[in-house]
């Protein structure tokens, strides 16, 4: 196991309190949205984003689902805004049949053959974030474009979302996509024995479940690459104090993923009145992978967390369960960062995040660029 830590201390920004010698500024009201114990720990570049952008928008727990469905482009993360209007090279869309026969969309990103040869290539299955409610094939397009620079084919899975589909179908969709990719090795020009999985937030939760399912089905995985993963059934909590993890309490009013935002997703994905019925449909550990009963024989795992994130501690606790079960685990906590920092192109840690993903996939799959031969 290796543990990598990075830290950034915010400086040059005061709390929202004002002195008698000056009038309150617009920044004061924006910074007042952030609790005093969080403010000095946030990256200063992110703080400017809170002041200039986040504070001028309606709270994210008040987003109209109807509007989000009608105008998904309005709610895509900053890294996806420009990409949706461009033409992507070596990218193809496919349709996969899930376990119940429903069609789901996947997008496949191929690496540059001039750099990595003609293939067949390893394959990495990606599952986007969005609380099991938001997201589409543009949400993490930029992340997929970056990851393919490892010389790996990326399959981005647009699993079904709640509330239009009950929670749990997302896992069946992801499992179907994984098996489809392996069965379509000739079409996709991939090596079906070189497979990794991963995702962000809700997509990371899905990947943790797949990690156990693949082990049980005898499907070898090279890596489970998960970011800011929820490993509990936090969307089903009545109160944030239901969590046993300190970060869930400490950051319950953080500026990106506050408790009210988690409740927002929970009301669509795991509503209190439907939760007993949902729990009868699926294994308990699907809701909370940290409650899985068998921790042996699981693949290598890279867990990336954000310092200022209510989900930080439960993601790292899942990793320690893997360590206890004998798996190789790498941890990295990105200092000064909120839950969705990997979607914010102006943050230095986002660049580090992309490079870390490329290197992790290269190591897992043994890929390197073809050497350049000079004359």
């Amino acid at each position: 196991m290796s543990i990598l830590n990075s830290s950034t201390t915010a400086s040059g920004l005061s709390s929202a309190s004002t002195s008698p010698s000056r009038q309150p500024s617009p920044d004061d009201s924006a910074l007042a949205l952030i609790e005093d114990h969080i403010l000095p720990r946030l990256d200063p570049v992110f703080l400017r984003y809170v002041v200039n952008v986040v504070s001028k928008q309606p709270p994210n727990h008040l987003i109209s689902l109807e509007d989000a469905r009608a105008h998904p482009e309005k709610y895509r993360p900053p890294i996806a805004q420009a990409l949706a209007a461009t033409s992507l090279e070596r990218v193809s869309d496919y349709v996969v049949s899930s376990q119940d026969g429903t069609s789901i969309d996947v997008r496949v990103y191929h690496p540059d053959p001039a750099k990595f040869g003609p293939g067949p290539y390893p394959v990495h299955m990606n599952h986007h974030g969005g609380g099991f409610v938001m997201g589409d094939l543009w949400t993490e397009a930029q992340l997929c474009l970056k990851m393919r620079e490892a010389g790996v084919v990326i399959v981005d899975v647009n699993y079904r979302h709640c509330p239009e589909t009950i929670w749990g179908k997302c896992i069946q969709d992801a499992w179907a996509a994984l098996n489809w990719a392996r069965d379509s090795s000739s079409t996709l020009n991939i090596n079906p024995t070189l497979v990794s999985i991963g995702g962000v937030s809700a997509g990371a939760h899905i990947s943790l479940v797949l990690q156990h399912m693949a082990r049980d089905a005898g499907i070898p995985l090279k890596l489970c690459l998960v970011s800011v993963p929820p490993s509990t059934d936090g969307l089903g909590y009545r109160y944030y104090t239901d969590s046993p993890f300190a970060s869930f309490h400490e950051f319950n009013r953080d500026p990106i993923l506050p408790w009210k935002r988690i409740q927002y997703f929970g009301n669509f994905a795991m509503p209190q009145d439907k939760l007993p019925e949902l729990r009868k449909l699926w294994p308990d550990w699907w809701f909370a992978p940290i409650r899985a009963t068998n921790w042996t024989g699981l693949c290598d795992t890279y867990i990336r967390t954000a310092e200022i994130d209510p989900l930080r501690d439960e993601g790292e606790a899942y990793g320690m369960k893997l360590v206890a079960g004998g798996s190789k685990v790498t941890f990295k906590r990105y200092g000064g960062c909120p839950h969705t920092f990997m979607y914010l192109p102006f943050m230095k840690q986002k660049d580090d995040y992309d490079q870390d993903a490329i290197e992790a996939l290269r190591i897992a799959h043994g890929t390197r660029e073809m050497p350049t031969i000079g004359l």
Side-chain angles (χ1 to χ4, degrees):
M1 177 187 72
S2 61
I3 301 179
L4 307 175
N5 292 303
S6 61
S7 62
T8 304
T9 302
S11 60
L13 285 167
S14 65
S15 68
S17 61
T18 59
S19 68
S21 62
R22 69 178 179 87
Q23 294 297 315
S25 71
D27 286 4
D28 289 325
S29 61
L31 294 179
L33 298 173
I34 305 174
E35 293 189 337
D36 288 345
H37 74 280
I38 298 176
L39 184 62
R41 298 170 61 183
L42 283 171
D43 183 279
V45 175
F46 174 70
L47 276 180
R48 287 195 290 273
Y49 175 68
V50 172
V51 170
N52 297 328
V53 179
V54 176
S55 68
K56 294 177 172 58
Q57 298 173 340
N60 55 20
H61 63 277
L62 298 179
I63 291 174
S64 161
L65 185 63
E66 291 75 17
D67 191 52
R69 294 292 188 255
H71 304 285
E73 70 283 352
K74 291 169 54 177
Y75 301 98
R76 289 180 182 134
I79 60 166
Q81 296 290 346
L83 277 178
T86 64
S87 176
L88 305 179
E89 295 183 356
R90 302 188 308 281
V91 176
S92 303
D93 290 344
Y94 295 86
V95 175
V96 175
S97 180
S98 190
Q99 182 172 325
D100 61 7
T102 301
S103 295
I104 59 169
D105 297 324
V106 300
R107 182 165 292 169
V108 180
Y109 297 74
H110 275 81
D112 186 350
K115 292 182 179 180
F116 299 102
Y121 307 102
V123 61
H124 178 75
M125 309 296 297
N126 184 70
H127 311 94
H128 65 73
F132 303 103
V133 175
M134 303 291 192
D136 56 26
L137 289 176
W138 290 106
T139 302
E140 294 177 9
Q142 186 273 339
L143 301 183
C144 293
L145 288 168
K146 277 293 183 180
M147 286 189 290
R148 75 175 180 180
E149 293 179 16
V152 174
V153 169
I154 310 298
V155 178
D156 196 20
V157 182
N158 193 29
Y159 54 88
R160 284 173 285 176
H161 303 99
C162 305
E164 292 86 354
T165 303
I166 61 169
W167 189 90
K169 290 291 185 179
C170 54
I171 294 172
Q172 290 188 332
D173 294 346
W175 181 246
L178 172 61
N179 284 280
W180 168 84
R182 296 178 74 245
D183 293 341
S184 304
S185 58
S186 296
T187 301
L188 301 180
N189 193 22
I190 63 170
N191 183 339
T193 68
L194 299 176
V195 182
S196 57
I197 59 175
V200 173
S201 195
H205 182 123
I206 291 171
S207 300
L208 298 183
V209 175
L210 293 189
Q211 181 180 33
H212 291 256
M213 293 175 69
R215 185 270 319 274
D216 294 344
I219 298 175
L221 298 176
K222 292 295 183 181
L223 182 68
C224 181
L225 177 64
V226 289
S227 302
V228 294
S231 66
T232 69
D233 45 359
L235 293 184
Y237 292 164
R238 287 186 178 274
Y239 312 103
Y240 74 87
T241 51
D242 291 345
S243 173
F245 295 101
S247 63
F248 210 94
H249 298 228
E250 184 179 7
F251 304 120
N252 80 90
R253 292 184 62 192
D254 94 327
I256 293 297
L257 189 65
W259 167 239
K260 287 187 176 181
R261 180 64 163 170
I262 295 172
Q263 282 184 302
Y264 173 90
F265 290 134
N267 288 337
F268 293 120
M270 299 182 189
Q272 291 295 322
D273 62 334
K274 300 294 184 183
L275 196 50
E277 181 181 347
L278 280 174
R279 291 193 182 280
K280 293 178 182 178
L281 292 175
W282 317 113
D284 174 68
W285 63 272
W286 278 27
F287 295 89
I290 201 167
R291 293 202 295 263
T293 57
N294 182 1
W295 292 88
T296 62
L298 293 166
C299 68
D300 292 356
T301 306
Y302 193 150
I303 296 177
R304 297 186 284 180
T305 58
E307 181 188 3
I308 314 300
D309 181 5
L311 303 185
R312 184 194 70 199
D313 291 354
E314 64 187 73
E316 294 172 358
Y318 177 91
M320 295 309 296
K321 285 258 196 174
L322 288 171
V323 172
S327 295
K328 178 181 177 182
V329 183
T330 301
F331 297 84
K332 181 166 183 178
R333 182 190 291 183
Y334 294 78
C337 291
H339 182 72
T340 56
F341 76 95
M342 71 292 296
Y343 294 161
L344 304 177
F346 47 81
M347 294 191 70
K348 177 188 180 299
Q349 295 94 327
K350 189 270 184 295
D351 293 333
D352 296 340
Y353 177 93
D354 285 338
Q355 293 306 311
D356 291 340
I358 292 170
E359 186 62 18
L361 290 173
R362 283 176 174 171
I363 291 172
H365 292 294
T367 57
R368 284 292 185 273
E369 291 188 21
M370 297 175 65
T372 300
I373 302 176
L375 296 177

